[in-house]
Amino acid sequence: MLKISLICPDEQVVDELVQILSDREDVAIQHVSTRNPGQAELDRYLQLHLPQAILISTDGDNHTLAIIDYLRRTYPDLPLVILHSATENAAASLLPLMHAGVKEVVFQPLDRAEVGAAIDRICAAPAPDAISKLGKVFCFLPSKPGVGASTVAINTAAALAQEGSKVLLVDGDLTSGMVRFMLKLKNPASIRDAAQRIADLDEFLWPQLITQVREGLDVLHAGVSSPSCSFDSEVLLSLMDFWRAAYDFVCFDFSGNLEQFSLDAMHFADRIFLVSTSEITSLHLLIEKAHHLKANDVIDRVRVVLNRKNRNEDLSKRQIEGLIGLPVCKVIRNNYSETLAANREGRTVRTNSALGADFKAFAAEL
């Protein structure tokens, strides 16, 4: 069964195509998009559903051509069938498609025989894994400074590695990143060095930039704190392509200041964890931050981690969820002595401690 995705803003064309393909037992249309998605949205869908071919309509407009070019570069083995509008300048508009490596073009109005022949050629070809499964991205950010987001990020990443996954922890807090201090890292290389050497980044250079904290867990710290430092979003997204191909999980520890580069990274995130305590001030700022994330169209991936929760606190998990309007996916108990000892010794919390059990359970859920 050939799983097909369809990207076409013309609902009439969609109906025609569904009718043409409905008689075929070897084809299943698993998803239809009636608008042209952005790259981040397209990536999320492809990684989730792993279609074996995409049918996409175009009349030569720049946005659709950019999507096609991106698909050809990022997923070169993914078969594309272009549903092309037959216009007077059709020959000229086909040139960019040819340059992008498109092999199958069907002109509109659709002809059943032409569509069928294109699908037959795809079905007859070997079916490689066109879409390589990329690592998941988790972003951690605090509702306000001091709620323990870095502690949660570090120990969740360590717990994922303990489960047998290959994990990268990236400190994306360029103004006051704490991962280097908390884990007593000696490697001077930082995320800024990775950005500067992105053109040379390969399996030989990469081990020089990171620190292996434990089996399965690599860490790239933020370097010396620099209040005026920023980061180019395009560079970060290019780095993410490298990281997602090399690791099962990429965990970001962000500042919570919602810099543009961190917001852009969150568009590629599978989950965004807002870390908060149950203090009213922390919950208030969490709600404010959630409004900004909603405005940036990532609120659907946001979950709350309630950190340092004491049993005798007045507000229950359900009451907090009703107050903030977001799901609390994990409650981490308060264990100041264990966290302090870990920071003093430059390690993660002990796996056999009660706090370590919380992080182990969280990793298993993820």
Side-chain angles (χ1 to χ4, degrees), residues 71-93:
L71 287 169
R72 289 268 48 85
R73 288 185 292 105
T74 311
Y75 307 99
D77 295 325
L78 180 64
L80 297 183
V81 178
I82 307 302
L83 312 175
H84 197 285
S85 298
T87 59
E88 292 182 1
N89 62 341
S93 60

Side-chain angles (χ1 to χ4, degrees), residues 8 14 23 25 34 39 60 62 70 116 129 134 150 158 192 200 208 218 224 226 232 259 271 286 310 325 330 338 345:
C8 179
V14 171
D23 295 334
E25 296 182 354
T34 55
Q39 292 182 10
N62 290 333
Y70 176 74
D129 293 330
L134 299 178
S150 294
R192 300 170 210 180
D200 305 318
Q208 302 174 38
D218 294 341
V224 179
S226 177
D232 182 87
E259 307 94 336
R271 280 286 178 264
L286 183 150
N310 292 311
K330 190 62 182 177
E338 177 64 28
E345 297 172 24

